[in-house]
Amino acid sequence: MIVVKGLCKSFGKQEVLKGIDLTVEKGEVVVLLGPSGSGKTTFLRCLNFLERPDAGEITIGDTHVDCKSVTKNEILQIRRNTAMVFQLYNLFKNKTALENVMEGLVTPRKIPKIEAEEISRKILKKVGLGAKHDAYPSQLSGGQQQRVGIARALALNPEVILFDEPTSALDPELVGEVLAVMKKVAKEGLTMIVVTHEISFARDIASKVIFIDGGVIVEQGTAEEVLFHPKEERTRQFLKRILPASDYSI
Amino acid sequence: MENIFLLSLFIDCFPKLLSRLHITLYIVVIALLFGMLLGTYIAVVRLYKVPVLSQLATAYVSFIRGIPILVLLYIVYIGLPLVIGAFGVNINRWDTMIFVMIAYVVNTAAFLSEIIRSAVAGVDLGQTEAAYSVGMTRLQTFRRIIAPQAIQIGIPALGNTIVSLLKDTSLAYTLGVIDVIGVIKAISSNTYRSLEAYAAAAFIFFILSSILEQCFNIISRKLGIKGTISGQG
């Protein structure tokens, strides 16, 4: 379970997050929507301390931290309870697909290599890359790289996987294969927090949709509620701009 | 008319020059070894922006890179005994080679620190974030992810620096060190001819530089085969 209370973050004088509260139950898939600059990616990056929040409390699994007094060890603990999938994949360029997946098991978690390799091979197979073990990131397509990125996150068996616009950098024809993998893992009961503009993913998979604007949560609810019956004017305006015409003419 | 170029003398020069080659190589190896240590330290101080030390390091690098090696040699040779002498320690009797080494270490460290710093800074920030996101510590991230990629980025520049260093050692003779160039002085005062000896030296330096260049080409290619830095990221 994940509990966030009063999360604040400023960059200089720019207040990006103005006190975010959020609870995510185990197995939930939460989709964060919002215009660019609304703070949704910053919020995601605060959860694993890639950005250092200025204030607030975060509980992930059995680790509870107060952001004002967080220690190095607590940050490490939080990071070892989470995993992240990046917009630009960020695969380790000096490692093969298999090594990319193994790295998080072998180096930080000290799992023996043989065991780590077995886990990693299984997971690469699951994301449909069983034949690409020895390929370096530069030899893979964007979609394949992102699937390795998902495999790297899955291997860690974390409390939650944070997805930061995982399909935004992909060619349209490659988006499908990545979304398919994400749907597959969502159905297996993994907890996911996803920043995305893929409304179809939110509609089909999300157990909760959250609309963020101006550093605050404007509205939250089920996909049905937020996407098709939004209460707030700001949510309506945003959806109008991004929903394809067919979606709301029906 | 006098012979412009005595082939026999040219050939005779090789054994004499090569007999002092170890001095030249010795300077190169020591300068690289200690220059690498000091250079890494300076690079780390600057990369992590350690207060005070970082500003000092920046000033050091910019000063050393801005003065000719010949001037640096004399400053170390004349200045160091005076400075240390002020503390009551007499180092006037130190071997000249020690002053030469210090000058080349000081010089090489400045250049290497810049190579190391830019190579590390050249590794995409996303790599660090990804390593943190899987739970790696700062040290693990550096050792497993950043360093291997930085080495790949820095290798070509390192090769250039070593070739430059090899050629720069040719100024050590000005302090009286008998290296490859120092021998030329001896040969020309014995034979009243110097073109042959200089030509032989040119040949030796050219061959050495070519070998170094080839080595670094091979290393670059070996590392590059992994195809890791190039390509879409």
Side-chain angles (χ1 to χ4, degrees), chain A residues 13-70:
Chain A
K13 282 190 180 141
Q14 174 92 15
E15 219 182 337
V16 183
L17 299 177
K18 301 171 184 164
I20 303 256
D21 299 305
L22 177 67
T23 304
V24 180
E25 301 293 339
K26 202 165 173 54
E28 269 191 320
V29 177
V30 175
V31 168
L32 300 180
L33 290 178
S36 77
S38 60
K40 52 195 193 305
T41 289
T42 304
F43 173 67
L44 203 67
R45 289 165 57 83
C46 280
L47 291 181
N48 68 349
F49 287 86
L50 286 185
E51 302 292 354
R52 183 78 175 263
D54 301 324
E57 288 172 47
I58 299 176
T59 310
I60 296 178
D62 47 12
T63 311
H64 171 85
V65 300
D66 182 338
C67 299
K68 270 188 176 155
S69 59
V70 66

Side-chain angles (χ1 to χ4, degrees), chain B residues 15 26 33 40 47 57 80 91 152 163 200:
Chain B
Y26 189 43
L33 214 64
T40 307
L47 281 166
L80 200 59
I91 58 167
Q152 209 175 331
V163 169

Side-chain angles (χ1 to χ4, degrees), chain A residues 45 48 50 72 76 79-80 82-84 86 88-95 103-104 106-110 136-142 145 152 156, chain B residues 122-138 140-141 143-149 152 225-233:
Chain A
R45 289 165 57 83
N48 68 349
L50 286 185
K72 250 187 192 173
L76 207 59
R79 283 179 180 159
R80 286 180 186 176
T82 60
M84 189 172 231
F86 296 87
L88 298 173
Y89 334 129
N90 291 359
L91 295 187
F92 303 128
K93 294 180 190 173
N94 57 328
K95 299 191 177 294
E103 189 64 31
V106 176
T107 307
R109 289 171 182 77
K110 308 280 181 255
Y136 282 90
S138 59
Q139 298 162 329
L140 296 171
S141 74
Q145 288 191 58
R152 177 171 69 183
L156 306 173
Chain B
V123 177
D124 180 15
L125 186 64
Q127 298 288 306
T128 305
E129 292 190 342
Y132 286 169
S133 81
V134 301
M136 285 159 91
T137 62
R138 217 169 167 175
Q140 287 169 337
T141 302
R143 201 163 44 84
R144 305 275 306 171
I145 308 297
I146 308 301
Q149 294 186 39
Q152 209 175 331
I225 280 177
K226 288 186 171 180
T228 56
I229 292 300
S230 59
Q232 62 186 125

Side-chain angles (χ1 to χ4, degrees), chain A residues 71-129:
Chain A
T71 64
K72 250 187 192 173
N73 253 331
E74 285 173 338
I75 291 179
L76 207 59
Q77 214 50 53
I78 287 272
R79 283 179 180 159
R80 286 180 186 176
N81 279 343
T82 60
M84 189 172 231
V85 174
F86 296 87
Q87 184 175 5
L88 298 173
Y89 334 129
N90 291 359
L91 295 187
F92 303 128
K93 294 180 190 173
N94 57 328
K95 299 191 177 294
T96 62
L98 184 66
E99 289 165 347
N100 260 282
V101 181
M102 284 171 64
E103 189 64 31
L105 298 172
V106 176
T107 307
R109 289 171 182 77
K110 308 280 181 255
I111 292 173
K113 265 201 171 155
I114 298 175
E115 203 181 314
E117 191 176 326
E118 202 179 310
I119 298 171
S120 305
R121 281 183 189 278
K122 224 180 268 170
I123 289 174
L124 274 176
K125 207 168 176 186
K126 190 176 184 176
V127 300
L129 291 171

Side-chain angles (χ1 to χ4, degrees), chain B residues 23-232:
Chain B
I23 301 290
T24 298
L25 295 181
Y26 189 43
I27 298 172
V28 170
V29 169
I30 295 290
L32 271 181
L33 214 64
F34 288 93
M36 190 63 95
L37 283 176
L38 183 58
T40 307
Y41 185 72
I42 293 170
V44 168
V45 161
R46 291 187 67 186
L47 281 166
Y48 287 101
K49 301 194 172 65
V50 181
V52 186
L53 284 181
S54 163
Q55 284 82 349
L56 284 175
T58 308
Y60 169 88
V61 169
S62 122
F63 178 69
I64 296 298
R65 293 210 306 171
I67 62 173
I69 182 78
L70 182 64
V71 176
L72 182 64
L73 275 166
Y74 275 102
I75 288 177
V76 170
Y77 190 54
I78 300 165
L80 200 59
L82 290 177
V83 172
I84 295 189
F87 294 98
V89 182
N90 186 354
I91 58 167
N92 282 317
R93 306 189 65 122
W94 274 11
D95 193 297
T96 312
M97 262 305 258
I98 294 177
F99 294 101
V100 170
M101 304 268 196
I102 290 174
Y104 280 103
V105 167
V106 161
N107 178 63
T108 309
F111 283 91
L112 290 182
S113 80
E114 273 303 271
I115 292 173
I116 295 166
R117 192 180 66 90
S118 62
V120 171
V123 177
D124 180 15
L125 186 64
Q127 298 288 306
T128 305
E129 292 190 342
Y132 286 169
S133 81
V134 301
M136 285 159 91
T137 62
R138 217 169 167 175
L139 196 67
Q140 287 169 337
T141 302
F142 186 79
R143 201 163 44 84
R144 305 275 306 171
I145 308 297
I146 308 301
Q149 294 186 39
I151 287 170
Q152 209 175 331
I153 296 173
I155 282 289
L158 177 64
N160 289 340
T161 301
I162 296 178
V163 169
S164 298
L165 173 63
L166 175 72
K167 292 183 293 180
D168 282 348
T169 58
S170 61
L171 287 169
Y173 85 92
T174 54
L175 297 189
V177 169
I178 313 292
D179 62 347
V180 173
I181 308 295
V183 179
I184 299 178
K185 294 286 155 193
I187 293 173
S188 42
S189 56
N190 284 341
T191 59
Y192 302 106
R193 300 188 66 97
S194 50
L195 182 59
E196 289 80 1
Y198 279 115
F203 193 77
I204 290 170
F205 276 100
F206 170 67
I207 294 293
L208 281 177
S209 302
S210 303
I211 291 172
L212 274 174
E213 241 168 68
Q214 277 308 312
C215 287
F216 273 91
N217 281 344
I218 291 168
I219 295 171
S220 282
R221 222 175 311 138
K222 277 262 160 68
L223 289 172
I225 280 177
K226 288 186 171 180
T228 56
I229 292 300
S230 59
Q232 62 186 125

